Amino acid sequence: IKIEKELSSLYKRMFEPLHVPPELFQRLTGQFCNIQTLKTGQAYAAEDKTSVDDRLSILLKGKMKVSYRGHFLHNIYPCAFIDSPEFRSTQMNRGEKFQVTIIADDNCKFLCWSRERLTYFLECEPFLYEIFKYLIGKDITNKLYSLNDPTLNDKASKRIDRQPSLCSQLSVMQMRNSMASTSDSEDGLQMFLRGTSSASSL
């Protein structure tokens, strides 16, 4: 099985180490998904406007910047999910909006699935379903650590190999809601980040 050149690094870094066969990866990326692009400065999601129900994406090339009410939170690098917290949250709540803004910091390329069709596919593939649970949990954990250290770069994030148990204990919606409930001031943002730091250390 020959994997497309654009997806080969994604397979080798995220899926091959977890023993996902090439043919299963090809089925996962060959249906109900496509490769999309954003130019520098274009938005993947706008807070309080973009629905979280429609898609799930993995960044293939470039860098994205995540912010909340104009405050920088963290970066997203290649071979990381763009909207893993929202994917986890919409398993519990439908009709939610992004509570952060995600902007392309470079010219970006990403793999984008239809969320509804991906969910149906994963329900029919128990092994791949467990793989996604692990990958999304790990990705959310890395994002939580990035909140505490916004300078965390791609090389450093590769070294963080945490189990996703933290994510199963911490509701991502609580994380987002605590952001929204703080004041618009710097003090409010710092209060949220300190709270996240305590949760991460646990």
Side-chain angles (χ1 to χ4, degrees):
I1 302 292
K2 191 172 182 179
I3 294 171
E4 289 182 44
K5 185 179 179 181
E6 287 183 308
L7 302 177
S8 59
S9 62
L10 174 67
Y11 174 71
K12 288 177 182 176
R13 181 165 159 190
M14 293 181 69
F15 292 90
E16 189 176 39
L18 298 176
H19 308 291
V20 175
E23 58 270 20
L24 185 56
F25 178 78
Q26 194 173 62
R27 286 180 59 206
L28 172 69
T29 57
Q31 309 175 54
F32 46 81
C33 74
N34 53 61
I35 294 175
Q36 298 182 16
T37 60
L38 285 177
K39 293 183 179 179
T40 304
Q42 288 186 312
Y44 176 85
E47 57 193 86
D48 300 324
K49 293 181 180 179
T50 307
S51 171
V52 303
D53 291 336
D54 299 331
R55 57 186 173 170
L56 176 69
S57 303
I58 296 179
L59 187 61
L60 299 174
K61 181 182 178 183
K63 183 177 75 170
M64 290 185 172
K65 181 170 62 177
V66 182
S67 62
Y68 170 71
R69 297 189 182 179
H71 297 285
F72 171 77
L73 294 180
H74 63 85
N75 290 316
I76 300 173
Y77 296 96
C79 295
F81 287 95
I82 298 172
D83 41 9
S84 54
E86 288 73 23
F87 182 80
R88 175 64 62 85
S89 71
T90 51
Q91 292 176 327
M92 301 176 285
N93 301 283
R94 285 286 179 178
E96 299 288 336
K97 303 289 185 185
F98 275 86
Q99 294 188 20
V100 294
T101 295
I102 305 174
I103 300 287
D105 210 28
D106 297 318
N107 290 334
C108 292
K109 187 175 290 187
F110 58 94
L111 183 66
C112 182
W113 284 278
S114 159
R115 188 169 303 196
E116 186 175 346
R117 296 181 68 183
L118 173 64
T119 301
Y120 178 77
F121 177 74
L122 293 178
E123 286 173 353
C124 300
E125 294 286 347
F127 170 67
L128 205 54
Y129 175 77
E130 293 300 324
I131 294 293
F132 258 74
K133 273 175 59 178
Y134 169 78
L135 289 174
I136 287 172
K138 181 180 174 183
D139 188 80
I140 295 172
T141 304
N142 287 345
K143 284 177 170 54
L144 287 173
Y145 277 90
S146 297
L147 282 172
N148 304 318
D149 183 6
T151 64
L152 190 69
N153 60 25
D154 189 33
K155 191 174 290 186
S157 68
K158 288 179 192 176
R159 293 198 296 267
I160 297 178
D161 192 16
R162 307 283 182 179
Q163 294 297 319
S165 56
L166 169 65
C167 305
S168 61
Q169 301 298 321
L170 177 66
S171 163
V172 179
M173 281 309 293
Q174 287 178 342
M175 181 182 84
R176 297 294 197 205
N177 289 341
S178 66
M179 277 176 111
S181 64
T182 59
S183 69
D184 292 341
S185 67
E186 285 285 348
D187 291 341
L189 182 68
Q190 291 305 320
M191 188 185 303
F192 166 73
L193 293 178
R194 283 198 298 274
T196 307
S197 177
S198 301
S200 297
S201 63
L202 289 174

